[in-house]
């Protein structure tokens, strides 16, 4: 029986890597699938992993109709056994409902991948609808880590390394080691944080500025 499965987690937990692995595994068994994505950091019509994996995919926009996409392909003689839907947090609620209909009426497996909440710790509309409709919600087991070493549970948006909590829900930005853009550039970046440091708005750059690392040894010159 076909399923709608939502694989969720924060940034840096391997969602796109798993999406590409899922596609590889099913294609290797002779199944025919279609890859979709929306606003991948590597550019349009691409699923990319931070491990360096990359594959071309169909770009989703607000006019995309998943029901029509599958029906059109099958009408033209192409079998469609499954869909891989990456960056699904950016899909509309109506598009998620289309995915559910594809599963129920066309017996196509749908594997959706996305982050659950935005930089304000609020649900994306696409993710919210997936949680409501999915047959299964799988939280990825690769744990992204906050700068403090605790499990990262929240996505933070930063501007020059300083966390911001206002602005458009969707803004594509860079994701560096600590989510900090070059000072003074005004570029948007993202960083994963534990809940405690997300509430305190303490990014890696702010933490470094606040004091020395716990692993730094301080010496008294007179004691040498």
């Amino acid at each position: 029986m076909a399923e709608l499965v939502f694989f969720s987690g924060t940034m840096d937990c391997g969602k796109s890597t798993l999406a590409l692995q899922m596609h590889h595994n099913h294609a290797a068994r002779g199944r025919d699938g279609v890859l979709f994505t929306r606003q991948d950091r590597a550019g349009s019509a691409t699923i990319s992993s931070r491990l360096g994996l990359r594959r071309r995919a169909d770009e989703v926009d607000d006019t995309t109709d998943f029901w029509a996409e599958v029906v059109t392909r099958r009408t033209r003689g192409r079998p469609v056994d499954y869909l891989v839907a990456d960056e699904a947090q950016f899909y509309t609620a109506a598009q998620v409902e289309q995915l559910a209909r594809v599963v129920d009426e066309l017996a196509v497996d749908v594997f959706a991948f996305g982050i659950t909440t935005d930089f304000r710790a609020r649900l994306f509309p696409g993710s919210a609808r997936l949680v409501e409709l999915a047959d299964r919600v799988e939280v990825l087991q690769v744990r992204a880590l906050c700068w403090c070493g605790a499990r990262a549970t929240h996505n933070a948006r930063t501007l020059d390394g300083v966390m911001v909590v206002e602005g458009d829900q969707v803004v594509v930005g860079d994701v560096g080691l600590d989510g900090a853009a070059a000072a003074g550039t005004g570029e948007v970046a993202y960083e994963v944080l534990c809940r405690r440091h997300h509430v305190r708005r303490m990014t890696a750059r702010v933490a470094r500025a606040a004091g020395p690392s716990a692993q730094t040894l301080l010496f008294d010159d007179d004691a040498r």
Side-chain angles (χ1 to χ4, degrees), residues 135-146:
D135 296 295
R136 288 187 291 122
V137 177
E138 301 278 354
V139 178
L140 271 66
Q141 296 304 305
V142 177
R143 293 190 174 189
L145 299 178
C146 177

Side-chain angles (χ1 to χ4, degrees), residues 147 160-161 177-181 191 202-214:
W147 60 263
D160 291 336
L177 182 61
D178 60 11
E191 180 177 351
M202 186 171 285
T203 64
R205 177 175 291 187
V206 171
R208 285 197 299 266
S213 166

Side-chain angles (χ1 to χ4, degrees), residues 14-21 40-42 46-55 86-87:
K15 295 180 303 300
S16 295
T17 301
L18 180 59
L20 293 175
Q21 182 68 54
D40 188 278
R41 62 190 170 276
T46 301
I47 295 179
S48 66
S49 162
R50 292 189 179 90
L51 294 182
L53 303 174
R54 183 176 297 198
R55 190 174 181 97
D86 199 26
E87 305 293 353

Side-chain angles (χ1 to χ4, degrees), residues 33-67:
V34 186
L35 280 67
F36 291 95
T37 189
R38 183 167 190 176
Q39 295 182 317
D40 188 278
R41 62 190 170 276
S44 178
T46 301
I47 295 179
S48 66
S49 162
R50 292 189 179 90
L51 294 182
L53 303 174
R54 183 176 297 198
R55 190 174 181 97
R56 184 163 182 79
D58 288 2
E59 183 73 14
V60 175
D61 60 29
D62 287 344
T63 67
T64 300
D65 184 325
F66 288 107
W67 175 267

Side-chain angles (χ1 to χ4, degrees), residues 32 47 99 110 140 152 188:
D32 197 318
I47 295 179
L99 291 172
V110 174
L140 271 66
V188 172

